Amino acid sequence: MQSATRTNQDRTEKTRAALLAAARALFIAKGYAETSTPEIVAAAGITRGALYHHFQDKRDLFRAVVSEEARQVARAIGERAPDSLPPLEALIAGGAAYLQAMREPGRTRLLLIEAPSVLGLAEVRALDEAQAARTLAEGLAAALPAQAGRNAGLPLAALTDLLSAAFDRAALAIDAGADPAEYHAAISALIGRLVLN
């Protein structure tokens, strides 16, 4: 009995993974609006019924793709910026990890261009706050209180939002062909001045 349950669970996971992979590739290649559910199921090698068994609609499938991308970015940040690092070093390492993770082909388009258009800014912000922005807020919270001076009492949520926007702008520039090293240096300097002033 347990073997049959495991087999069904494996099949379910494989179907879901196939849908996510096919949808991701098509959303990157064509964009959300130009991708149809028949194309997705054909690319995944499954039926439309299987698609609707796993996802409410194309938007729900897109949300799952974007959520997985955001989790992978947050995972990369966590690996490169462990709690054992001093706060400033963790922020800089986390920033470098973010910029590197966003270089995964298609990720910038999915997270920074398509997602706000398809899901809306409020949902994208909530998703970001649960992933990469959460780690940024935690890093800033750890770094700023340790500093006496003019940064004391600055609004953490606003700082996180503005710094997150700078990271996103850097990722877009790098995706468009800008030098990653220049943006990493600029972001590191920005973080250093914010934390050390």
Side-chain angles (χ1 to χ4, degrees):
M1 181 71 166
Q2 191 174 16
S3 177
T5 302
R6 185 68 220 161
T7 302
N8 286 339
Q9 188 176 6
D10 289 345
R11 191 175 318 127
T12 296
E13 289 171 7
K14 282 183 178 180
T15 300
R16 183 177 170 82
L19 280 166
L20 290 170
R24 182 188 191 281
L26 287 165
F27 291 146
I28 290 169
K30 300 177 72 174
Y32 175 84
E34 298 300 318
T35 299
S36 69
T37 53
E39 287 176 296
I40 294 169
V41 297
I46 62 163
T47 65
R48 282 187 81 174
L51 169 72
Y52 293 114
H53 173 75
H54 291 277
F55 301 99
Q56 184 178 345
D57 53 21
K58 183 174 83 166
R59 188 173 185 271
D60 189 37
L61 174 58
F62 179 79
R63 182 183 298 109
V65 169
V66 168
S67 294
E68 180 55 31
E69 293 295 311
R71 273 191 294 279
Q72 290 180 23
V73 171
R75 189 176 307 121
I77 293 168
E79 289 170 1
R80 294 263 311 266
D83 292 340
S84 60
L85 286 179
L88 177 57
E89 287 180 38
L91 280 170
I92 291 172
Y98 174 82
L99 294 178
Q100 183 60 42
M102 290 302 287
R103 293 178 72 188
E104 176 70 23
R107 187 168 282 160
T108 300
R109 178 177 185 169
L110 287 171
L111 291 177
L112 302 181
I113 298 170
E114 294 282 339
S117 173
V118 175
L119 301 176
L121 189 55
E123 189 169 346
V124 170
R125 281 179 76 104
L127 175 66
D128 190 37
E129 286 168 5
Q131 301 293 342
R134 176 187 51 77
T135 62
L136 179 58
E138 290 168 358
L140 284 171
L144 291 177
Q147 307 301 321
R150 60 186 186 171
N151 286 343
L154 284 176
L156 182 61
L159 283 174
T160 301
D161 192 39
L162 291 172
L163 194 52
S164 180
F167 277 112
D168 290 349
R169 181 63 186 94
L172 287 165
I174 292 166
D175 191 58
D179 183 355
E182 288 184 4
Y183 277 86
H184 173 66
I187 288 283
S188 296
L190 182 64
I191 292 169
R193 288 183 183 165
L194 176 64
V195 171
L196 297 176
N197 280 337

